Amino acid sequence: MRGANLALFDDTPLAGTREQLAPGAWVLHGLALEHADALLREIESIAARSPFRHLVTPGGKTMSVAMTNCGAVGWFSDRRGYRYAAIDPTTGKRWPLMPEAFFRLAREAARAAGFDEYAPDVCLINRYEVGARLTLHQDQDERDRRAPIVSVSLGLPATFLFGGLARSKPQRRVPLVHGDVVAWGGPSRMRYHGVLPIKEGEHPQTGARRYNLTFRVAR
Ligand code: MD3
Ligand code: FE
């Protein structure tokens, strides 16, 4: 596969390689590269139906990352808490269906990380403008924590913070670039993680933005 797509990988020397961060946690470099155009078109189509919005946390802060979802349910927060629901509170309608291409890529990535028959029911879509960040957190609103999470990075690069099972543990910094996919489950599923503020830049396919897809089994 790598040989047939060399042109795609010219700017991404690690593409086609995989790196284990911890037991159950893998970076699959460049796995989404050849799908990036199609994924970005799907994001546009989803956002036309369920627009990106800056959620308010239960503490009353507005998040710098803008979010939307596709799938049977979607994740959001408001003053009443963090949760998944079948209806998008912004539109009053169901979230857009998860595109086939999203599901296939997530399943392929999970398999490469050792998790067979992955069947995510939600994809949370994050949009980062320059300066946007995600503070250290755990993903703990999903009912079934045995299932892994798969994440796809598109557009501007980011520095990912990969922590431990307690907030106070030291964090490793992991650079993630356009086309990288991360899968983490098993003993790594509940690790703390975050994203440092996105640095200024221009990406040929997304402009001054980063997108991140995270696939989950929520219910
Ligand atoms: C977690 N998104 O939406 S995903 C989120 O890049 C979220 O937008 C981030 O955290 C983003 O909840 C990060 C990538 C990721 C990678 C490795 C991890 C999350 C991880 C390892 C352990 C725990
Ligand atoms: Fe997270």
Side-chain angles (χ1 to χ4, degrees), residues 126 128 134 137 139 151 160 162 182 184 193 210 212 216:
N126 294 330
Y128 295 77
L134 206 54
H137 67 279
D139 293 2
S151 116
F160 184 76
F162 181 72
V182 185
W184 70 99
H193 58 280
R210 169 179 189 257
N212 182 265
R216 300 116 189 279

Side-chain angles (χ1 to χ4, degrees), residues 100-148:
E100 195 68 38
F102 278 31
F103 187 90
R104 275 200 309 263
L105 175 61
R107 182 170 281 220
E108 181 190 354
R111 182 179 295 280
F115 304 98
D116 279 355
E117 303 303 312
Y118 185 51
D121 55 6
V122 51
C123 175
L124 170 62
I125 307 172
N126 294 330
R127 187 188 71 193
Y128 295 77
E129 313 278 351
V130 171
R133 63 197 284 256
L134 206 54
T135 55
L136 209 61
H137 67 279
Q138 288 174 303
D139 293 2
Q140 51 184 357
D141 299 322
E142 300 74 25
R143 204 164 292 164
D144 183 355
R145 296 180 183 179
R146 289 168 308 181

Side-chain angles (χ1 to χ4, degrees), residues 2-217:
R2 200 180 190 300
N5 289 293
L6 265 185
L8 267 176
F9 296 144
D10 280 352
D11 298 334
T12 42
L14 290 174
T17 68
R18 70 185 61 180
E19 176 186 356
Q20 186 166 27
L21 292 177
W26 289 86
V27 184
L28 308 162
H29 294 284
L31 187 71
L33 261 188
E34 61 183 324
H35 309 292
D37 267 322
L39 297 174
L40 288 165
R41 277 196 302 273
E42 295 285 12
I43 291 171
E44 237 179 89
S45 156
I46 290 162
R49 288 169 283 161
S50 273
F52 282 102
R53 78 289 308 259
H54 292 272
L55 296 168
V56 176
T57 68
K61 291 192 176 142
T62 300
M63 295 177 70
S64 60
V65 178
M67 298 179 174
T68 187
N69 294 269
C70 62
V73 290
W75 184 89
F76 63 94
S77 70
D78 58 21
R79 294 304 299 241
R80 287 163 37 220
Y82 302 104
R83 62 200 178 276
Y84 285 96
I87 300 295
D88 175 352
T90 297
T91 63
K93 297 178 183 167
R94 278 186 294 273
W95 300 95
L97 292 177
M98 187 184 300
E100 195 68 38
F102 278 31
F103 187 90
R104 275 200 309 263
L105 175 61
R107 182 170 281 220
E108 181 190 354
R111 182 179 295 280
F115 304 98
D116 279 355
E117 303 303 312
Y118 185 51
D121 55 6
V122 51
C123 175
L124 170 62
I125 307 172
N126 294 330
R127 187 188 71 193
Y128 295 77
E129 313 278 351
V130 171
R133 63 197 284 256
L134 206 54
T135 55
L136 209 61
H137 67 279
Q138 288 174 303
D139 293 2
Q140 51 184 357
D141 299 322
E142 300 74 25
R143 204 164 292 164
D144 183 355
R145 296 180 183 179
R146 289 168 308 181
I149 292 184
V150 168
S151 116
V152 178
S153 292
L154 297 168
L156 287 180
T159 300
F160 184 76
L161 294 176
F162 181 72
L165 293 174
R167 187 184 286 279
S168 57
K169 292 277 189 245
Q171 300 122 36
R172 185 169 155 191
R173 291 175 179 219
V174 181
L176 291 178
V177 301
H178 178 73
D180 285 347
V181 179
V182 185
W184 70 99
S188 289
R189 172 66 178 76
M190 297 311 291
R191 281 178 181 261
Y192 277 88
H193 58 280
V195 178
L196 291 182
I198 300 297
K199 292 192 182 138
E200 244 177 340
E202 190 69 20
H203 189 276
Q205 284 164 274
T206 67
R209 283 183 177 146
R210 169 179 189 257
Y211 293 96
N212 182 265
L213 311 176
T214 52
F215 295 91
R216 300 116 189 279
V217 179

